[in-house]
């Protein structure tokens, strides 16, 4: 016979609740899952580092190119003076050797002169300050006079060439066409007048 204070039913009810509690707690990830997660984190960090390094290298190259262009741009007036001296035959002796060395040095940095007489006019490269008329010797708008040489580094223009241009001569055949038409109409008008007179 059971005692009034002891009851076995509550013990049976508490046992299923205790068994359900461990099932609700999350399971530990397996070592393979942990390894895959760490591998993804490492790959993500590596991709971020590669992108950062590319961005830094690109910025460093841009700053270097801008500094190089600034130095070369400051030398353009010296190159202009050397060009004028060569035009007047004053480039000789030791001065010529210095001029040649300077031009070789700037050529190593890809500084290129443009804007010579006879070149086709390009508004992206040349700055036209006057028009020298028309010429039958050219087929397109062409540089006739160079007042200041232009310079570029690769595709980047650091100073446009200052030039005077000449246009191709306009066709003389176009104005003569109406005269031919008028002469063709004149005989027709005369024949119509003759026909009226005969009536």
């Amino acid at each position: 016979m059971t005692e009034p204070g002891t009851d076995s039913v509550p013990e049976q009810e508490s046992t299923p609740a205790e068994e359900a509690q461990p099932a609700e707690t999350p399971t530990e990830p397996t070592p393979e899952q942990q390894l895959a997660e760490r591998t993804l984190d490492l790959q993500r960090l590596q991709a971020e580092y590669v992108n950062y390094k590319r961005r830094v290298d690109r910025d460093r190259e841009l700053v270097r190119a801008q500094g190089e262009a600034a130095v070369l741009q400051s030398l353009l007036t010296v190159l202009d003076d050397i060009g004028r001296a060569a035009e007047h035959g004053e480039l000789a002796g030791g001065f010529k050797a210095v001029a040649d060395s300077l031009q070789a040095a700037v050529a190593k940095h890809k500084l290129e002169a443009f804007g010579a007489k006879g070149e086709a006019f390009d508004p992206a490269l040349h700055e036209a300050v006057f028009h020298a008329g028309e010429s039958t010797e050219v087929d397109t708008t062409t540089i006739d006079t160079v007042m200041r040489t232009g310079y570029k580094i690769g595709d980047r223009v650091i100073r446009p060439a200052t030039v005077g241009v000449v246009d191709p001569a306009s066709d003389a055949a176009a104005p003569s066409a109406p005269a031919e038409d008028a002469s063709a109409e004149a005989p027709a008008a005369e024949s119509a007048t003759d026909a009226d007179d005969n009536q």
Side-chain angles (χ1 to χ4, degrees):
M1 187 170 187
T2 60
E3 296 179 4
T6 58
D7 194 358
S8 60
V9 176
E11 290 177 6
Q12 291 174 355
E13 290 176 359
S14 64
T15 304
E18 289 174 2
E19 291 174 0
Q21 202 171 16
E24 292 175 0
T25 59
T27 59
E28 270 288 312
T30 64
E32 291 80 9
Q33 290 173 334
Q34 289 179 351
L35 178 63
E37 185 178 340
R38 300 298 181 272
T39 304
L40 286 174
D41 289 343
L42 183 61
Q43 289 172 345
R44 192 178 306 113
L45 284 172
Q46 186 178 11
E48 287 176 2
Y49 173 73
V50 168
N51 289 337
Y52 166 77
K53 189 172 182 310
R54 284 180 186 159
R55 189 168 55 251
V56 167
D57 291 343
R58 186 176 62 241
D59 292 346
R60 184 181 298 127
E61 180 62 25
L62 181 63
V63 168
R64 187 196 65 75
Q66 288 174 342
E68 184 179 62
V71 171
L72 291 172
Q73 199 161 11
S74 68
L75 294 174
L76 296 185
T77 54
V78 178
L79 294 172
D80 290 341
D81 292 341
I82 290 171
R84 282 191 287 272
E87 286 175 7
H88 293 96
E90 298 175 3
L91 197 62
F95 184 58
K96 184 176 186 322
V98 172
D100 291 343
S101 297
L102 178 62
Q103 289 173 339
V106 297
K108 285 181 184 176
H109 293 280
K110 300 177 183 175
L111 183 70
E112 181 185 348
F114 64 89
K117 181 175 180 176
E119 284 183 14
F121 175 73
D122 183 355
L125 299 175
H126 310 116
E127 181 182 350
V129 292
F130 71 90
H131 186 262
E134 296 179 349
S135 172
T136 56
E137 297 176 1
V138 297
D139 297 330
T140 182
T141 303
T142 306
I143 297 173
D144 182 60
T145 308
V146 180
M147 286 167 287
R148 191 173 70 172
T149 304
Y151 289 94
K152 61 182 178 178
I153 302 172
D155 293 332
R156 181 184 171 202
V157 176
I158 61 173
R159 187 179 79 182
T162 306
V163 298
V165 296
V166 62
D167 286 330
S170 57
D171 293 337
S176 63
E180 291 174 3
D181 293 342
S183 62
E185 289 173 5
E190 288 175 9
S191 61
T193 308
D194 293 342
D196 291 340
D197 292 341
N198 291 336
Q199 291 174 356

